[in-house]
Amino acid sequence: MVIAALIARLTGCFVPRRRGWLSVLVLIGLTAQMAVAGCSIPERLLAVPKALTTKAKVTQAHVSPATNIRFWVNQDPDPLAKEGLEALRKEREYLARTGHTGPLPPVNFLAISGGGDNGAFGAGLLNGWTAAGNRPEFKIVTGVSTGALIAPLAFLGPDYDADLKKAYTTISKNDIYEERGILAALIDDGLADSRPFLELVSRFVTPEMLTRIAQEYAKGRLLLVGTTDLDARQPVIWNMTAIAASGDPGALDLFRKILVASASVPGVFPPVMFEVEADGRKYQEMHVDGGAMAQVFLYPPYLVLSDLAAEADAHRQRTFYLIRNARLDPDWASVDRRTLDIVDRAVSSLITSQGVGDLYRIYLTTQRDGIDYNLAYIGREFDAPHKEDFDTAYMQQLFDYGYKLAQGGYPWQKYPPGYTLSTKAVAQ
């Protein structure tokens, strides 16, 4: 989804037939009416000062400040590296308790991208993978946007396949948002109200789910979700496993809010505000869709996993799976010569290009670190009609498409789109 298109869709009248000064006069008139009516934009606490960004601790959920619940990946690499080594220690202890001897067993990683209602592809693929009988357990699962919603269910395995199917084949746009109308573009923090979305997330993310995620954290597994701190313009990786294991009464609320934040398209849905504290003062952080920074992630490239593994004597086979909930072939369309249509097309092209760039970045990182790379995405052969966002019929067909591909043995791609090896490299 892109803001330009959704302005037209949600307001139903934001794209005037007569353009130019008439549009400007309409906006001026609306602004004047709001001033008379005493309308004002939503209020917030002060943003965290730049110098205190990484010192801010989440306070509203009362999770212990000592809990390593999030990482500022562009600021300080050490906390995330330490968390990875701590996960290895937990895994070794778990293996010893269960009688495992010898070398460390192979591990699998899974990253799930954004893509709105195209998340039905990933949901279908995971269900079909279970049916094929060879779906592995994942040491690390990461998610962004719609991928963040899939990630907890994928992390817990086939026991949650039914919930995953239900979440992506039975909902409609009414389960995601309520339209606010034309004035929201000028006076509110989003064109749509996402309260239905929070209610939907709350139905699936239960206390029992957090208990099970905490149990897996004790075995050395990690569930990570990405959001964007809009004030700092920084990506944030949330350690959902640590939050689940904190035992704090506010953990469930925080867990749900992070998932909603990760999928809150800026300008369309309201941002999610987190109360934090830094140097004894209270502030608020504004978080939006993690896709504003990256469509998908595994771990930051500056963390050289092969070096960390050598230092920890953790030699093992590592396999990485990436589910891109989008098409990667050019999506042809005849663009009308109108401002919003042109902006919509240009921004969607930019998002697509960013997503492809993420695939290349992760590919190069995995090749450097000796990790087997596997990519899944929506093929050009899928051509079901897509009438509106969160079109139930479309999602059902996309789910079935992903399911059948995986059930029959998904043809995982070993390279990003357009990548080719030289003849010399192939010969070697």
Side-chain angles (χ1 to χ4, degrees), residues 119-425:
F121 170 70
L125 189 147
L126 287 163
N127 271 260
W129 203 350
T130 298
N134 59 349
R135 175 178 162 184
E137 180 180 87
F138 302 104
K139 167 81 170 175
I140 299 175
V141 176
T142 72
V144 172
S145 198
T146 198
L149 309 178
I150 297 172
L153 302 170
F155 181 79
L156 291 176
D159 287 351
Y160 284 78
D161 278 1
D163 283 348
L164 193 52
K165 180 178 181 180
K166 183 178 180 181
Y168 281 91
T169 61
T170 65
I171 67 167
S172 69
K173 66 179 183 180
N174 294 330
D175 298 294
I176 305 298
Y177 61 82
E178 294 178 356
E179 298 179 7
R180 281 178 167 171
I182 188 171
L183 293 183
L186 299 173
I187 65 170
D188 227 321
D189 56 0
L191 291 170
D193 189 331
S194 59
R195 279 181 294 183
F197 183 37
L198 177 58
E199 293 171 2
L200 177 67
V201 169
S202 298
R203 291 203 296 271
F204 289 97
V205 178
T206 63
E208 178 190 3
M209 172 183 279
L210 258 64
T211 298
R212 294 195 59 175
I213 290 174
Q215 292 170 349
E216 298 306 309
Y217 186 51
K219 300 175 185 177
R221 298 179 63 208
L222 294 174
L223 172 63
L224 308 173
V225 163
T227 65
T228 299
D229 182 332
L230 203 57
D231 295 314
R233 194 178 282 180
Q234 294 286 335
V236 179
I237 294 178
W238 296 83
N239 188 347
M240 308 301 278
T241 27
I243 293 170
S246 68
D248 190 274
L252 181 62
D253 175 63
L254 178 61
F255 197 103
R256 291 167 173 169
K257 287 185 66 175
I258 293 167
L259 295 185
V260 172
S262 184
S264 292
V265 180
V268 178
F269 301 130
V272 175
M273 308 302 294
F274 292 91
E275 278 75 41
V276 298
E277 186 176 296
D279 281 2
R281 290 195 62 183
K282 293 183 179 180
Y283 301 97
Q284 267 189 331
E285 294 175 352
M286 178 182 289
H287 286 249
V288 299
D289 198 315
M293 285 294 170
Q295 296 289 310
V296 64
F297 72 96
L298 176 54
Y299 55 84
Y302 56 67
L303 285 181
V304 183
L305 186 61
S306 53
D307 290 348
L308 291 173
E311 293 174 11
D313 192 25
H315 304 285
R316 67 199 314 178
Q317 179 183 340
R318 296 177 176 87
T319 304
F320 170 60
Y321 298 94
L322 195 163
I323 300 176
R324 179 68 178 112
N325 291 304
R327 297 169 62 109
L328 298 181
D329 58 304
D331 180 21
W332 186 92
S334 177
V335 182
D336 291 336
R337 194 171 177 180
R338 298 188 302 184
T339 301
L340 290 181
D341 294 304
I342 295 169
V343 171
D344 178 42
R345 184 68 172 172
V347 174
S348 64
S349 299
L350 180 63
I351 292 173
T352 298
S353 298
Q354 177 200 358
V356 172
D358 292 334
L359 304 184
Y360 272 83
R361 171 176 46 79
I362 295 175
Y363 173 75
L364 293 174
T365 302
T366 58
Q367 298 312 289
R368 179 198 66 192
D369 292 343
I371 303 173
D372 183 27
Y373 178 95
N374 298 271
L375 170 66
Y377 55 88
I378 303 172
R380 65 179 65 204
E381 70 277 5
F382 181 77
D383 59 358
H386 193 189
K387 298 179 181 179
E388 62 180 1
D389 294 306
F390 305 103
D391 178 349
T392 305
Y394 171 81
M395 290 190 290
Q396 290 172 343
Q397 293 180 70
L398 184 53
F399 178 94
D400 291 341
Y401 166 77
Y403 183 95
K404 291 174 182 176
L405 280 177
Q407 185 184 36
Y410 189 85
W412 295 92
Q413 304 299 299
K414 308 303 292 185
Y415 312 103
Y419 184 90
T420 56
L421 292 175
S422 67
T423 304
K424 181 178 180 180

Side-chain angles (χ1 to χ4, degrees), residues 76-143:
D76 185 1
D78 289 341
L80 185 56
K82 290 177 181 177
E83 182 68 15
L85 293 174
E86 177 64 12
L88 176 62
R89 182 192 65 78
K90 292 177 182 177
E91 181 189 9
R92 280 175 163 153
E93 290 182 353
Y94 172 73
L95 291 172
R97 289 197 306 270
T98 55
H100 176 84
T101 58
L104 288 169
V107 288
N108 300 279
F109 307 139
L110 174 66
I112 312 168
S113 84
D117 54 9
N118 281 331
F121 170 70
L125 189 147
L126 287 163
N127 271 260
W129 203 350
T130 298
N134 59 349
R135 175 178 162 184
E137 180 180 87
F138 302 104
K139 167 81 170 175
I140 299 175
V141 176
T142 72

